[in-house]
Amino acid sequence: MMIREVSKKTWLLWGLFVVLFLLSAMDLDYSGLSTFSLAMGRDVLKGLSQPDWSFFYDGSGEDLFSLLLLTIGIACLGTMIATVLAIPITLLSAANLWSATPWVAKIGKFICNVLRAFPELVYAIIFVKVVGPGPFAGVMAIGVHQIGMLGKLFTEEMEAMDERLTEEMQAVGANFWQTMFFVRVPYLMPIYSSFALNHFEIAVRSAATLGLVGAGGIGAPLIFAIQTRTWSKVSIILIGVVITVFALDQITGIIRKKLR
């Protein structure tokens, strides 16, 4: 009987998936396919297979190497700002720190939800209008968004930690701040550091697109190259981004293993 019930549920879920897929497929506009041609596709692939290596570095400060360093710098600074500012948000949001006044934790969680509700690109558009185009707008966009993301993750870890550790400290007379610095911080710091490194990787990917709206980084020359169909330049930029992301993933992965 159990096998039949599981089988019915499985078939029901698959049927629902197929219906949703068909409804989505029927709702799409396929008129763009009329402009597609195999010759155009071959030209794109041919251009991408011939990267413009002269754009890698020319000393102008607008080459691929310089812009990738700028992109990494935007992501690093934005993540550092977010990590620091996420700590007070965590202290405000963790329900186990506000057991007597639970409404305080709800306010903190609401702030986190608001900050992470909008993607970095939306924040970048706003900050470009506020502080002007440039890397600082990208740093602020990544920082504000990741305050909400890291604040949520930090809060969940704070609430999930074993409270018996703090209770033992309180039993020998430790106050709130003593339990915070001698129990919670040593316990949570490796986890928080791992989260920050992981979001630094994510921020690098985000920073690579923020240049589309004038927030600095490699995004602006990428979109200009696509618009002018300079596929050899698009190719070298994509290669640079992929290698950068892969290298950072390997480096931060090693550091995260050391923190465990």
Side-chain angles (χ1 to χ4, degrees), residues 57-252:
Y57 182 78
D58 58 17
S60 65
E62 296 296 325
D63 51 71
L64 176 63
F65 182 76
S66 302
L67 291 174
L68 282 176
L69 288 180
L70 178 61
T71 301
I72 294 172
I74 292 171
C76 182
L77 186 55
T79 304
M80 290 175 64
I81 292 172
T83 303
V84 172
L85 295 182
I87 299 297
I89 294 291
T90 302
L91 298 178
L92 189 68
S93 305
N96 54 338
L97 301 182
W98 300 94
S99 55
T101 52
W103 57 269
V104 176
K106 292 181 180 179
I107 292 175
K109 286 185 171 67
F110 177 76
I111 294 172
C112 286
N113 290 336
V114 171
L115 292 177
R116 66 190 180 89
F118 305 99
E120 291 97 335
L121 202 59
V122 173
Y123 282 120
I125 295 171
I126 295 172
F127 282 113
V128 164
K129 297 297 182 182
V130 174
V131 302
F136 184 65
V139 170
M140 295 300 295
I142 289 174
V144 172
H145 175 75
Q146 290 206 3
I147 290 172
M149 297 296 294
L150 289 173
K152 179 180 184 297
L153 294 172
F154 289 0
T155 299
E156 289 177 350
E157 290 297 327
M158 179 75 78
E159 292 177 341
M161 74 170 292
D162 189 355
E163 288 299 318
R164 289 178 297 179
L165 300 173
T166 59
E167 290 171 359
E168 291 172 359
M169 285 286 292
Q170 291 169 350
V172 295
N175 58 30
F176 173 82
W177 293 110
Q178 287 173 327
T179 58
M180 178 63 69
F181 286 106
F182 292 103
V183 179
R184 296 188 189 276
V185 171
Y187 180 86
L188 294 170
M189 190 55 64
I191 302 172
Y192 285 3
S193 300
S194 180
F195 283 152
L197 287 170
N198 184 61
H199 275 70
F200 167 60
E201 297 174 32
I202 297 172
V204 171
R205 299 182 184 94
S206 300
T209 62
L210 296 184
L212 301 178
V213 294
I218 196 65
L222 176 60
I223 191 63
F224 291 152
I226 293 173
Q227 289 175 342
T228 58
R229 299 185 180 183
T230 313
W231 301 116
S232 58
K233 194 171 182 180
V234 172
S235 178
I236 188 63
I237 292 173
L238 293 179
I239 290 172
V241 171
V242 170
I243 293 175
T244 301
V245 170
F246 177 77
L248 289 174
D249 178 67
Q250 296 299 309
I251 294 170
T252 55

